Amino acid sequence: MIPASFDYVRAGSAEEAVAALVEHGDEAKVLAGGHSLIPMMRLRLAVPEVLVDITEAGLAGITDAGDHLVIGAATTHHDVATDKVIETHCGVLAHVAATIGDPQVRHRGTIGGGLAHGDSAGDLPAVLLALEGTMVVQGPGGRRTVPASEFFVDYLETAVAADELLVEVHVPKLDDSWGWDYQKFTRVAQAWATVGALALVSSNGTISDARVGLTHMGSVPIRASATEAALAGQSTDAIADAAARAADDTDPPSDLNADADFRRHLATVLSRRALEAAVG
Amino acid sequence: MTTTENPIQANVGRTRLRKEDARLVTGRTNFTDDIRLPGMVHMVVVRSPMAHAKVTNVDLTGALDMPGVVAAFSGADLADDAGGLPCAWPVTEDMVAPEHKALAIDEVAYVGDGVAVVLASTAAEAVDAAERVVVDYDPLPAVVDMKAAIADGADLAQSTLDTNVSYRWPLANGDIDAAFDGADVVVEREFVQQRLIPSAMEPRAVVAAPMGVSDELTVWSATQVPHFVRVFLAAVIGIDEQNLRVIAPDVGGGFGSKLDIYAEEILALVLAQKLGRPVKWTETRSEGFQATIHGRDQVQKISLAMDADGRFRGLKVDLLADMGAYMQLLTPGIPILGAFMYSGIYKMDAYDFSCRGVFTNKTPTDAYRGAGRPEATFAIERIVDEAAHELGVDPMELRKRNWIQHDEFPYEMIGTLTFDSGNYEAATARAIEMFDYDGRRAEQANRRDSGGTKQLGIGISTFTEMCGLAPSRVLGNLRYVAGGWEYAQVRMLFSGKVEVITGTSPHGQGHDTAWSQIAADALGVPFEDIIVRHGDTAVSHRGLDTYGSRSLVVGGAALAAACGKVVEKARRVAAHLLEADEDDVEFSDGAFRVVGSPETSMTMQEVSTATFVAHDLPDGMEPSLDSDASVDPDNFSYPHGTHLALVEVDTETGQVELLDYVSVDDVGNVVNPQIVEGQVHGGLAQGIAQALYEGAVYDQAGNLQTGSFVDYYVPGAPDFPTFRTDRTVTPATTNDLGVKGVGEAGTIASTPAIINGVIDAVRHLGVNEVLMPASPRNVWTAIQQAAASGSADSDDAQAAAAVQADDAGPDAAAADNAGQAQHAAGDTGTSTGGDA
């Protein structure tokens, strides 16, 4: 469990980090909380030649930007989970962050790291998809904005290029019309989700907007679009039938915890429960 | 606490905070990996990625060229130096077993089998170099499944053997044919004990060094059994025993996985000799999953014959036990330890047991917390629940009709053991009271009636087990190569302070504290004045170490005996100095007093000092109070208890939640209640983990698919409710302390309690079996299968389950299940009745 040898760069700013990434290209990996990368290096499944440490690059922090919140990529899950501004304006994100791993993980792991890793079994992608948040990516040519819906490209692959760095996560402020719930289905408390369903619903008896993000239901994180479409403009009585379509057009993985059929079944049950809780 | 005897003394019977915890929890101690010696080299083992293959070539040249590398060896290079790994329990005369070298030479037999070692100046250099070793393999068929392994024409797990069946071991008592032929009801089941990975907190580690006097070699090892390690390493390597010192420093848990002699211990010692330098090896967690022994992995066919009123007549058990690829120290004997326990706490007329030990291309199995008894307890407690269901009686009532009554002890049970003491009625009454059994049954019925998706189940386990390994004579009869005695020594220092030496080898159990309590009361000295030394063969030269809940039962009894000898010597000195007749000197509260003139007294400390200076001792008396004792019990000890679990099953997802757990254990007299409670809590967690969470899975090629904690679920505190524990006290009669052992009770009892609860929650849906671990997938699958088979008129399995829940009253569900039980029994042709 000893990683192969590597060089180490501690970036003092996003610009320094990007410069290091430009210099080393595919041989470099960004180190934030290290909770996915370091285990893979210890198992020698990842053998980067250079680690670019961004934990002191000034990328942590939470800012109220009027109609949305700006969360620095190096902000820890713990800080997201316990921040008063996030709790007030985007409680669903704080709630999901609090379900990640265990306290040790949450004190090291970061929101940017969790998203940039692009693991569909992670909890953050589903909530960012449902929030329709945006990611700010910095590269040698400056910053660009990527909608969450375009961020997750393939298995463990995101829109962040090898010479780019995820620097900010933007999420909207939610008004009182929104209700939410995250149904995270795990084997033990600290495990990855077998399946998760994140419901975010704006409703006043009639559902004006329903969004369902699914965790671990494909090679990339996805939304349950058939369920969402079946709910728009409907009363909450439509939830059971709509949730039954949560796994439509999904291609979930099979593993020791669940084969694809069981995952599809869980997705429908968990989506129904999340939606009912969100409007309840 | 329900108490029939309450021997609370100044120390014994009271909670004392553990002396050892400050150093353990702050890390201010030596674990084996903390040991660093001048000139030390680090060893890495290159392991087979194939489950079964011929080794055609091992090329070390790439490794030898790497920076820092000191040496590298293949199995062939060390063929003459490193002996085979020992098996101390050849259970039958004709048992077959493959040679088990420290490094494989021609053939690897499981993923993780060592093929080469690389030694370098640093651990990192050794890891880098080990990646450059090139091994050529010629694949052989992998034998993974035991049932396939015993079929005619099966592929062989070991090509040097002509069979996969190592041995067949029988135990029979009573007329089994009469018991079954005359039975009104026979219930038969097949249970699967899944494979488990022990997962001790501290990985294995060893340091071997040519240091000490003259030709002496010293081995530090993260082991439960330093005395075993000394004897066996000396024997298999050919070292004169007096020249080998083995030290188990503080050790971070074992659960049986460190009750073994491992290849890496042999290799480190052989290479330290060869290189003349200290050699260190520390297991990675990944290696721990593959190359430290696993537990359980048995298939149990069990049938219970009853009269119509539920009286048990006889029990048959046909067991397949997976040895893995090789025999480790006690591998073949683990299912044999279970053989004595299948009848549980129940009376019956006949018993017939047979076990086959089977080789497969998987990691060797060996002792894992409970070692044979959890498997047996699971089988009997599960089938009693199935029998109760078939008879239509409450499962607790059926137990009461059959268990040994408290006034029947000592009781010679059908498994050929003599239970010396017990009171199953008392423990059960207390558990029922704490749990509110009737109230919970009513709550369960309400949930049933509501038809909701969260159903309640009540799980029962009324268990006993055998602890205190054990009578040497019995072990000899079982062809176990060691004895079962234990040793203690008491050294009285000049100042009256005390050194206690024990042959047990704690690795988390708290012996420093409990042994201090025993000695403090026996010698009348303060608890704080005692130090307990263990785990170093140069300090504790005799001992048989710690496993099988034996330490207090045997080692504690040895300490009490040694303390008694000290007191008698001190009484003689005191009588001499007090100018009184020895018979007139009483000892209590740490002082010797002359009967009739209590002001004439000496403290133990004063006597100790007087003996040390030896200016005025009785004629002919040696100037020492130091004493030792070796104790060999004449029977095992038999803890028992009643455990009750309230579980909630989500019938839509298969998720099981444990809502409440009550345990009432009778472990006899107790030295330190808090340590006992801690052992019960940890044991419960480990037993519940087997029921709900843990399970090693191999694919058909013999690859371990659960090779890390990401895939192998060891639960944590958030996964459990607060356990509610209590005790009854029925002292053991087979040792002077009246203690029975508590290290494994929680693990043994809890697994069937949980599974009985899970099935109780969904039995109305037609479920009568769930594979362990009872994961959501396994529970949901069981519900779907039951729905599909029970309601063929609906193609919607979930709806079918709901319909059955709504429409089928308890009687209908019972009839349906009885039919299934009958069907299962009928399949094997052993059923003689049932309610068909």
Side-chain angles (χ1 to χ4, degrees), chain B residues 386-714:
Chain B
E386 296 305 306
H389 179 66
E390 179 146 354
L391 292 167
V393 303
D394 182 274
M396 189 62 90
E397 170 60 25
L398 185 62
R399 286 168 167 84
K400 289 177 179 174
R401 285 183 199 173
N402 284 284
W403 71 38
I404 301 159
Q405 305 289 314
H406 73 277
D407 54 5
E408 294 179 289
F409 292 94
Y411 186 85
E412 191 175 327
M413 45 77 90
I414 197 69
T416 73
L417 300 170
T418 300
F419 289 167
D420 64 307
S421 70
N423 191 332
Y424 308 140
E425 300 98 311
T428 300
R430 177 67 183 130
I432 283 176
E433 176 192 355
M434 288 172 67
F435 189 75
D436 184 17
Y437 185 82
D438 293 338
R440 252 70 190 268
R441 283 286 180 213
E443 199 180 337
Q444 178 187 32
N446 287 339
R447 290 270 190 111
R448 286 278 157 90
D449 294 343
S450 77
T453 59
K454 301 282 182 74
Q455 290 294 321
L456 291 179
I458 293 170
I460 302 171
S461 174
T462 54
F463 80 105
T464 189
E465 56 137 338
M466 52 196 275
C467 287
L469 281 176
S472 299
R473 177 181 48 80
V474 174
L475 294 175
N477 289 339
L478 292 172
R479 300 179 53 84
Y480 181 75
V481 302
W485 49 264
E486 196 43 81
Y487 175 78
Q489 184 185 30
V490 177
R491 299 176 182 166
M492 298 301 297
L493 305 181
F494 167 77
S495 56
K497 316 257 185 207
V498 181
E499 288 180 330
V500 166
I501 312 298
T502 179
T504 62
S505 196
H507 40 283
Q509 291 87 349
H511 295 184
D512 292 13
T513 304
W515 272 229
S516 294
Q517 291 178 261
I518 294 168
D521 284 353
L523 300 172
V525 301
F527 172 80
E528 295 77 12
D529 284 0
I530 299 165
I531 190 166
V532 179
R533 299 188 188 279
H534 52 73
D536 179 345
T537 60
V539 176
S540 165
H541 67 292
R542 281 171 61 75
L544 288 169
D545 305 317
T546 289
Y547 43 85
S549 304
R550 70 185 301 274
S551 292
L552 183 62
V553 179
V554 193
L559 175 59
C563 289
K565 292 180 183 178
V566 171
V567 170
E568 288 319 302
K569 289 182 189 174
R571 188 194 309 276
R572 194 174 160 200
V573 175
H576 175 73
L577 295 174
L578 296 170
E579 298 179 338
D581 192 275
E582 215 175 311
D583 294 340
D584 293 336
V585 175
E586 291 180 331
F587 179 64
S588 64
D589 298 331
F592 295 92
R593 294 183 180 82
V594 179
V595 176
S597 55
E599 70 285 357
T600 311
S601 70
M602 289 182 77
T603 65
M604 177 61 87
Q605 288 89 341
E606 289 168 340
V607 175
S608 185
T609 303
T611 307
F612 190 91
V613 299
H615 295 164
D616 183 12
L617 293 180
D619 289 341
M621 182 167 178
E622 288 183 15
S624 172
L625 298 177
D626 294 359
S627 300
D628 63 2
S630 295
V631 165
D632 198 345
D634 60 9
N635 194 355
F636 297 91
S637 59
Y638 304 99
H640 69 80
T642 295
H643 290 211
L644 297 170
L646 182 70
V647 303
E648 184 182 78
V649 176
D650 183 334
T651 58
E652 274 190 303
T653 66
Q655 186 84 280
V656 176
E657 185 174 359
L658 178 57
L659 300 180
D660 190 21
Y661 196 98
V662 166
S663 70
V664 178
D665 285 290
D666 194 323
V667 297
N669 291 336
V670 162
V671 173
N672 185 318
Q674 190 178 64
I675 291 178
V676 167
E677 191 178 5
Q679 282 279 16
V680 170
H681 279 237
L684 292 177
Q686 218 152 357
I688 295 167
Q690 178 179 3
L692 295 180
Y693 303 115
E694 298 187 24
V697 178
Y698 284 84
D699 67 16
Q700 285 307 303
N703 297 302
L704 181 63
Q705 294 184 286
T706 51
S708 82
F709 288 129
V710 173
D711 297 306
Y712 187 87
Y713 293 106
V714 176

Side-chain angles (χ1 to χ4, degrees), chain A residues 1-5 43-44 185-192 255-259 261-262 265-266 269-270 272-273, chain B residues 123-124 127-128 131 284 286 453 650 652-653 655 692-693 697 705-706 710 713 715 718-719 773 775-777 780:
Chain A
M1 303 290 271
I2 299 174
S5 68
L43 293 167
R44 299 201 172 191
F185 193 82
T186 62
R187 287 289 310 281
V188 294
Q190 299 171 12
W192 296 88
D255 58 29
L256 296 174
N257 293 321
D259 59 15
D261 284 346
F262 186 42
H265 169 72
L266 287 175
V269 173
L270 299 174
R272 190 193 74 225
R273 291 179 180 180
Chain B
V127 173
D128 287 343
E131 290 195 329
T284 66
S286 299
T453 59
D650 183 334
E652 274 190 303
T653 66
Q655 186 84 280
L692 295 180
Y693 303 115
V697 178
Q705 294 184 286
T706 51
V710 173
Y713 293 106
D719 300 302
S775 64
R777 182 182 187 170
W780 187 76

